Amino acid sequence: MTTAGRDPGLQPERTRLAWRRTTLSCTVVALLAVKQALHGGAGPAAIVAVSLSALAWLGFLWVAHLRVLGMGTARPRPLSARGALTAAACTVALAVFAAAMLF
């Protein structure tokens, strides 16, 4: 027996909110990197780390935006392997660049 349609309930909305919270967290991390670079003196290494952090943040923002838009349908597709890998790589990159700025 098959059902005519899928009732996703509030699951897509919860997923959209989770992506937005995660994007907000990444934004805070990127802004703290800028603050740390300005507070610690903007040397060449700090400028490179902040620039790379900004690129990682933009990459994550792009993936999150596409995912939030994709959750607007009645049957959202699963996150692609490429999107998941990009989001994970951007998250790890932000952590690595943050650690590099501390040392």
Side-chain angles (χ1 to χ4, degrees), residues 10 13 35 37-38 42 48 52 55-56 64-65 68 71 73 82 86 89 95 100:
L10 294 176
E13 181 63 22
K35 180 183 175 200
L38 294 176
V48 168
L52 292 173
L55 285 175
H65 177 71
V68 167
M71 294 304 296
T73 64
R82 180 179 173 194
T86 303

Side-chain angles (χ1 to χ4, degrees), residues 22 26 29 49 52-53 55-57 59-60 83-101:
T22 306
C26 284
V29 169
L52 292 173
S53 294
L55 285 175
W57 174 74
F60 187 86
L85 183 61
T86 303
C90 290
T91 302
V92 170
L94 278 172
V96 168
F97 301 143
M101 288 187 64

Side-chain angles (χ1 to χ4, degrees), residues 13-75:
E13 181 63 22
R14 287 191 306 268
T15 303
R16 270 194 300 274
L17 291 172
W19 275 100
R20 288 183 179 159
R21 283 190 307 268
T22 306
T23 302
L24 179 61
S25 297
C26 284
T27 302
V28 169
V29 169
L31 290 175
L32 287 174
V34 171
K35 180 183 175 200
Q36 178 67 26
L38 294 176
H39 179 67
I47 292 171
V48 168
V50 168
S51 300
L52 292 173
S53 294
L55 285 175
W57 174 74
L58 287 172
F60 187 86
L61 190 65
W62 174 69
V63 171
H65 177 71
L66 291 178
R67 188 63 187 149
V68 167
L69 288 178
M71 294 304 296
T73 64
R75 297 191 121 223

